[in-house]
């Protein structure tokens, strides 16, 4: 756990969040400022600041985040209509919390390109 990392604190249960899924590797919880009717963040329990910090040994974990997003979308009834998954990496992409998180957005039509 990284000191003063918001998402490490959520993973540790020190800050409350509306959890939608958890296992030994990842945690998924509702975004507190949702950008769609359904907006969940999937995070690794392990602290990694950005995608740039992924190491060879993290490949399975990165894949698991995506697999969990698909499962959560399915379970919550969004697979058929569709959903968007987003990793923002660093300031230029709008990353504001520096603990890797996969956004899962659903429940409305999405536009492209993103802003
Ligand atoms: P980023 O901008 O880094 O890609 O996404 C960070 C996300 O974390 C934002 O969508 C923001 O609303 C969400 N967020 C920030 N602080 C909290 C919090 O304390 N609790 C929850 N559940 N989400 C948060
Ligand atoms: Zn962290």
């Amino acid at each position: 756990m990284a000191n003063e990392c918001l998402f490490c604190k959520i993973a540790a249960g020190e800050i409350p969040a509306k959890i939608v899924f958890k296992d030994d590797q990842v945690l998924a919880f509702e975004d507190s400022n949702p950008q769609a009717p359904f907006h969940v963040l999937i995070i690794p329990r392990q602290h990694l600041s950005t995608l740039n910090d992924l190491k060879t040994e993290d490949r399975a974990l990165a894949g698991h985040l995506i697999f969990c997003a698909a499962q959560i979308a399915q379970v919550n009834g969004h697979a058929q209509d569709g959903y968007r998954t987003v990793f923002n990496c660093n300031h230029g992409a709008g990353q504001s919390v520096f603990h890797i998180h996969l956004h899962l957005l659903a429940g409305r039509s999405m536009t492209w390109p993103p802003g």
Side-chain angles (χ1 to χ4, degrees):
M1 174 168 166
N3 281 342
E4 302 312 315
C5 172
L6 176 63
F7 287 176
C8 280
K9 288 181 178 175
I10 288 177
E14 294 172 11
I15 291 176
K18 293 180 181 169
I19 310 292
V20 301
F21 176 79
K22 59 182 172 183
D23 67 13
D24 59 331
Q25 296 175 75
V26 309
L27 184 70
F29 53 90
E30 293 180 10
D31 196 295
S32 60
N33 182 24
Q35 301 302 310
F38 186 81
H39 187 176
V40 166
L41 304 172
I42 302 113
I43 67 167
R45 291 185 179 277
Q46 172 190 350
H47 181 85
L48 293 160
S49 296
T50 81
L51 290 186
N52 295 330
D53 298 304
L54 286 173
K55 304 280 191 292
T56 302
E57 59 266 31
D58 300 320
R59 285 180 298 175
L61 177 61
H64 189 52
L65 290 170
I66 297 168
F67 180 77
C68 288
Q71 293 287 303
I72 292 165
Q74 174 82 44
V75 165
N76 287 277
H78 296 296
Q80 190 65 36
D81 283 348
Y83 53 89
R84 180 163 293 168
T85 53
V86 177
F87 283 108
N88 292 323
C89 181
N90 266 338
H91 298 281
Q95 185 174 3
S96 61
V97 178
F98 285 81
H99 178 130
I100 286 177
H101 48 281
L102 178 56
H103 293 261
L104 168 60
L105 301 118
R108 66 168 171 83
S109 297
M110 306 285 164
T111 59
W112 191 263

